[in-house]
């Protein structure tokens, strides 16, 4: 399930960040970018932190193999390098 639609952050990513030591919304914002755009996901993200309603929810296991194997005629798209632009006010 997506927690943050704006930044495509999933429940699993939030759970992993918390299991790796995130203890506040600020930690999640710094590590994942949660609630850094519109902010609608802030309350939901906080529920995964210690003391939240979802803190003890079991993490969904990641699939070990791809669900769909690539077909023999699939083309490989090379990674396109990009330049990160930082805006400062």
């Amino acid at each position: 399930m997506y927690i943050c639609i704006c930044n495509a952050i999933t429940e699993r990513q939030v759970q992993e960040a918390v299991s790796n030591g995130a203890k506040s919304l600020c930690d999640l914002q710094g590590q994942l970018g949660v609630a850094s755009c519109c902010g609608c996901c802030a309350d939901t993200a906080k529920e995964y932190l210690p003391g939240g309603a979802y803190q003890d929810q079991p993490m969904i296991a990641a699939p070990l193999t791809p669900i769909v194997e690539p077909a023999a005629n699939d083309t490989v798209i090379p990674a396109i390098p990009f330049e990160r632009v930082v805006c400062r006010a």
Side-chain angles (χ1 to χ4, degrees), residues 1-3 10-16 48 54 56-64:
M1 173 176 86
Y2 282 98
I3 301 297
T10 64
E11 178 181 40
R12 184 180 305 139
Q13 289 172 296
V14 172
Q15 289 173 324
E16 286 176 2
Y48 288 88
Y54 304 133
D56 295 324
Q57 182 175 344
M59 191 180 305
I60 299 169
L64 298 176

Side-chain angles (χ1 to χ4, degrees), residues 12-82:
R12 184 180 305 139
Q13 289 172 296
V14 172
Q15 289 173 324
E16 286 176 2
V18 171
S19 69
N20 289 331
K23 295 190 182 341
S24 67
L25 182 61
C26 188
D27 291 341
L28 292 176
Q29 287 174 320
Q31 291 178 29
L32 302 173
V34 169
S36 63
C37 198
C38 75
C40 291
C41 61
D43 289 337
T44 303
K46 285 188 223 177
E47 294 297 330
Y48 288 88
L49 294 167
Y54 304 133
Q55 73 174 3
D56 295 324
Q57 182 175 344
M59 191 180 305
I60 299 169
L64 298 176
T65 58
I67 295 172
V68 177
E69 295 294 327
N73 62 350
D74 281 349
T75 58
V76 176
I77 301 172
I80 301 170
F82 67 95

